[in-house]
Amino acid sequence: MDRDQLIQIASESLKLIRTENGYTQEKMAELLGISKKTLVQIEKERMVANWTVTIAICALFRNSLILQNRVGGDPMEVIELTAHDVIIIPKEKTMGGYIWWKNIEEYEGHRLQQNLLSKHYRILDHENYRLMSTLDEAVAYEKWQAIKTTIK
């Protein structure tokens, strides 16, 4: 998933996210730092949100089921990957990837997975802690081989 796709998803989902949270157009515009007129234009699909507004939507509504279902999990992870290509994070507990993830390889309880919607990759340890995420398939396999070597 690239920046343009994420902007499109956030823009198309904005009205549903707003109603999911019970916000008026005025309140939602205030939260996002945009005018009500701009919000209406986005909701009516006459324009798309800019990158800054997209980041605000993903950050402020990262727990939105609508948004999570559109991007395949945590929208902030997708934002970070779009900006940085590779994320190597201090261990972060995940739910194990049973909904939006496909196991590509498994070794000694560790898993290389690919997100079914955003197509990014991640590596989980045997306790479902995320070790890294990337949009780059080559980097994912390189890190996967390195991890397999260290746990032998």
Side-chain angles (χ1 to χ4, degrees):
M1 182 172 298
D2 63 20
R3 180 185 281 210
D4 291 336
Q5 290 170 310
L6 194 54
I7 287 170
Q8 193 65 40
I9 288 169
S11 298
E12 291 171 355
S13 304
L14 185 56
K15 184 174 183 178
L16 291 173
I17 293 167
R18 179 176 62 76
T19 56
E20 174 186 46
N21 287 277
Y23 290 131
T24 63
Q25 288 178 328
E26 291 82 8
K27 179 65 175 174
M28 188 65 138
E30 178 186 325
L31 283 171
L32 297 175
I34 59 177
S35 69
K36 180 181 172 190
K37 181 180 176 184
T38 299
L39 179 94
V40 169
Q41 294 296 313
I42 296 168
E43 285 189 353
K44 291 189 176 200
E45 298 183 15
R46 294 183 184 143
M47 66 181 288
V48 295
N50 64 30
W51 182 238
T52 304
V53 173
T54 299
I55 292 170
I57 293 167
C58 290
L60 294 170
F61 300 100
R62 76 184 305 168
N63 294 322
S64 163
L65 292 178
I66 291 161
L67 194 53
Q68 288 180 359
N69 284 325
R70 296 286 314 272
V71 300
D74 183 359
M76 286 307 295
E77 181 181 359
V78 180
I79 288 279
E80 288 179 277
L81 284 169
T82 302
H84 301 292
D85 294 328
V86 177
I87 305 173
I88 299 177
I89 329 170
K91 288 185 166 189
E92 180 181 322
K93 185 76 168 173
T94 71
M95 294 175 22
Y98 299 105
I99 299 175
W100 294 298
W101 297 90
K102 170 178 70 172
N103 283 341
I104 296 173
E105 287 188 37
E106 192 167 340
Y107 182 78
E108 300 289 330
H110 288 65
R111 286 174 285 151
L112 172 62
Q113 298 180 320
Q114 185 178 28
N115 189 284
L116 297 171
L117 299 177
S118 68
K119 304 298 182 200
H120 75 276
Y121 298 86
R122 73 178 181 183
I123 297 174
L124 301 182
D125 72 6
H126 63 285
E127 294 177 332
N128 292 326
Y129 281 92
R130 181 176 38 193
L131 303 177
M132 65 84 65
S133 297
T134 182
L135 288 167
D136 188 320
E137 181 179 14
V139 170
Y141 279 97
E142 177 185 315
K143 298 290 184 189
W144 176 245
Q145 291 307 320
I147 287 171
K148 283 175 35 179
T149 302
T150 61
I151 58 176
K152 283 187 178 181

